[in-house]
Amino acid sequence: MLSFVAQTLRIAVPYLFAAAGGVASERAGLIALTLEGYMLGGAFCAALGSYYGGSPWAGIVAGAAGGILLALLYAACAIRFRADQVVVGIAMNLLAIGATRFFLRLAFDSSSNSPRVPGFGAVQSGTGFLALASNPLVWLGVLAIPAIGWLLYRTPFGLRVRAVGEHPASAVSVGIPVARVRYVAVMFSGLLAGLGGAYLALDQHQFTDQMTAGRGFIALAATIFGRWDPSRVGVACLLFAAAEALQIHLQGAQLIPSQFVEMIPYLLTIIALAGVVGRAAPPAALGRIAE
């Protein structure tokens, strides 16, 4: 039982990072469809920074920077040039896949994976609490959700973020710089999702092509399922992580055909969204840019 809880927490960390970033972005009115791309870019930059910097701390900084750079590109397209956010989001994810594959070959002369890079804790990823406690990204991931909740509901900046996500025209009328607030919120989103990708790369001690494997989309689903409320989003991330941990245990037991077992996290995502989307009210200005 304890090993299952530890494995659930280990799986949940990238979801917690990315979903916290999703809350920051969508509360400011920008669709967080790009979380997958931020995570993938962060994972690659973390592996690159850790390998050439010789330290996992360099990997953390590089992963955060990679997520922020991709977020700035998304923000420029969606805010400055008023492009359709769904289209730009899909394009950003495709860009991240192509760019990481290109630079993977350029930096490491491989199209599939990087060499082993320095990470935290033991060389092999453990599933015990001791292995988790030795990884500072686990602690940061657990704190990401309450931190974004404090930012949104306990600070003047958070009030501005919620204002531009609900009523941008009213925010403009009282002097709030809507574009600037949205840029900062999207940068927060990129930073947090980039750290989620960095966790994956440093936990596995290497970068592999498309290693995020849809985790950014599951984090987005957790954001919607949690109704854009940080505490509920955190619970949703743990729920999806528990489903993935259950999938791993069932695969080991070989009681059910593996094809059905692999469907569990995604089936749960579909069921959760089918039950909540019709009743949940997203930020009023989500997907719209103030004139």
Side-chain angles (χ1 to χ4, degrees):
M1 182 62 182
L2 287 177
S3 64
F4 179 81
V5 173
Q7 190 170 29
T8 297
L9 179 58
R10 177 172 170 263
I11 292 170
V13 170
Y15 295 151
L16 292 170
F17 272 124
V23 172
S25 180
E26 299 217 334
R27 278 291 189 176
L30 282 96
I31 299 172
L33 194 60
T34 49
L35 293 177
E36 179 78 4
Y38 298 161
M39 291 183 74
L40 190 60
F44 175 77
C45 290
L48 193 69
S50 182
Y51 182 78
Y52 287 105
S55 166
W57 292 103
I60 289 178
V61 174
I68 290 173
L69 286 175
L70 288 171
L72 281 173
L73 179 58
Y74 171 61
C77 294
I79 300 172
R80 174 66 179 84
F81 298 106
R82 302 178 181 272
D84 184 281
Q85 294 177 20
V86 174
V87 174
V88 176
I90 294 172
M92 289 294 301
N93 291 328
L94 295 175
L95 173 65
I97 293 172
T100 52
R101 189 173 294 168
F102 172 79
F103 287 111
L104 182 63
R105 177 172 289 278
L106 188 66
F108 301 116
D109 196 27
S110 171
S111 59
S112 59
N113 59 270
S114 71
R116 301 285 291 182
V117 303
F120 293 104
V123 174
Q124 301 219 345
S125 301
T127 56
F129 285 104
L130 187 59
L132 291 173
S134 66
N135 189 339
L137 282 173
V138 172
W139 296 99
L140 290 175
V142 171
L143 291 173
I145 292 293
I148 203 69
W150 173 82
L151 180 70
L152 287 174
Y153 295 106
R154 294 288 185 270
T155 67
F157 175 73
L159 178 61
R160 292 186 174 197
V161 168
R162 288 183 287 127
V164 302
E166 292 289 346
H167 301 288
S170 300
V172 170
S173 69
V174 296
I176 295 176
V178 172
R180 188 184 309 167
V181 170
R182 283 181 163 172
Y183 266 105
V184 175
V186 173
M187 287 173 64
F188 267 116
S189 176
L191 184 150
L192 290 167
L195 288 176
Y199 170 82
L200 291 173
L202 298 179
D203 182 60
Q204 298 180 25
H205 293 265
Q206 68 176 167
F207 173 84
T208 57
D209 186 34
Q210 297 190 54
M211 71 183 302
T212 49
R215 288 179 175 87
F217 297 115
I218 294 179
L220 177 59
T223 302
I224 299 170
F225 181 52
R227 303 185 185 184
W228 301 272
D229 177 76
S231 58
R232 291 180 178 180
V233 169
V235 173
C237 289
L238 292 175
L239 177 64
F240 291 143
E244 191 171 336
L246 177 63
Q247 169 203 333
I248 294 171
H249 279 267
L250 289 177
Q251 281 182 328
Q254 296 183 342
L255 298 174
I256 305 174
S258 61
Q259 295 88 344
F260 292 101
V261 173
E262 291 172 0
M263 292 167 54
I264 291 176
Y266 306 101
L267 184 62
L268 178 62
T269 303
I270 294 171
I271 293 172
L273 290 180
V276 77
V277 168
R279 294 181 286 111
L286 184 62
R288 296 193 291 111
I289 298 297
E291 296 295 336

